[in-house]
Every structure is written in C-alpha cells, then in structure tokens.
Amino acid sequence: MDSGTVPRSGELFRGILRRLRSETSWDVDPEFARTERQVAAVVDGETRRGELLYSHPETGARLTVRFPAPRTGHAAELLLDHALDDQLQHSEDGFAGELGEAHRSIAGRRATPYVEPVADPSLLARVRVPVEYDDATLTESVEATERIAVECDRLHEELSDVLAARIE
C-alpha cells in the first residue's frame, strides 16, 4: 500500500505521539524537538514523512518514529534500536546472530498486534500503527517498547559484566 493513501491528519499523528509521551519515559531528542513543525509539514504536504527521534533516559535506547510509514500505509512506524556495540553488524551466525535472537526473544515476549520482534544485534522491534488504531493496543504497544528497551539493557549489562570479569 502506498503511503499516499494514509490520511494526512494532524490529529491522527498527534494522538499517536501523545500516547507515546504520556504512557512512557521516552524523551524527544532536542535536535528533533520540533514535533508540531514535523506534523504540520506532513499535513501540509511540505514533506512526505515526518521523523522524530526519542531516547530512553535509563537505557540509552533509541526510538525512531516515522509518520506516515513509508510504503506500508500505516499511520506510523516506530523502530526500537539499542545496540550493545554500534560496530556489531547483523549476522545470523556467531555472537551477533545469538545476540539478535536474544533480542527477538525479549521483544517476542512483549509482542502485540502492532509490535513485531526483530532478530538483529541493534534493531529490537518494529511497531506499525494502523490508521484506525485501537487505543488499548497502541498503549500496550508503546509501553512494550519501554519494557523491551529495559530488558535488553539488562541483557547488555550482564554480557558486559561477564566480559569485564574475564579481563580482571
């Protein structure tokens, strides 16, 4: 479905962003803090897609919010990213593959109809919010992003502790 079929409704986009901010601890990145300007640019047709970047204050995880979602026809797509090491490349094998599977498993336990777990050493989950979203499912989904970030952060701390103990 083409993203052009998504209604360019400021209220639709603001409702999703409000839910994210009211139900979680995600902070909008100061560089992307012009939320209303982003929404207005999309609604006015000035740009095809708005993009905001959030960070989690306790974990350092990042959440990229794109609205409307490119190519899929969703009102928004949220990409949850939390790398153990930014240099670690995707692989289905070895340590990177096992880390990706651990991330997918953590996100899978928090899956909702909108939350899709991803097996990657950095990207943890993708949240696709339909145009006619259910309020309870959206709330559960944005809360899940935070829980996934916290659980993956714990995993990363445990791995770092094991490695640090080997060095000593």
Side-chain angles (χ1 to χ4, degrees), residues 45-119:
E46 184 180 320
T47 186
R48 289 185 49 163
R49 178 182 76 193
E51 184 170 279
L52 297 168
L53 183 63
Y54 291 81
S55 61
H56 193 266
E58 296 171 28
T59 67
R62 296 176 301 250
L63 189 67
T64 303
V65 179
R66 297 176 179 162
F67 55 96
R71 298 180 309 273
T72 65
H74 288 86
E77 180 177 60
L78 291 69
L79 303 172
L80 175 57
D81 179 65
H82 189 25
L84 172 65
D85 181 340
D86 288 327
Q87 302 301 312
L88 202 55
Q89 297 296 312
H90 175 77
S91 173
E92 294 186 14
D93 300 318
F95 178 77
E98 290 175 10
L99 180 62
E101 279 302 312
H103 286 165
R104 185 197 56 72
S105 177
I106 290 168
R109 289 192 296 272
R110 302 292 184 185
T112 74
Y114 303 164
V115 174
E116 171 191 337
V118 178

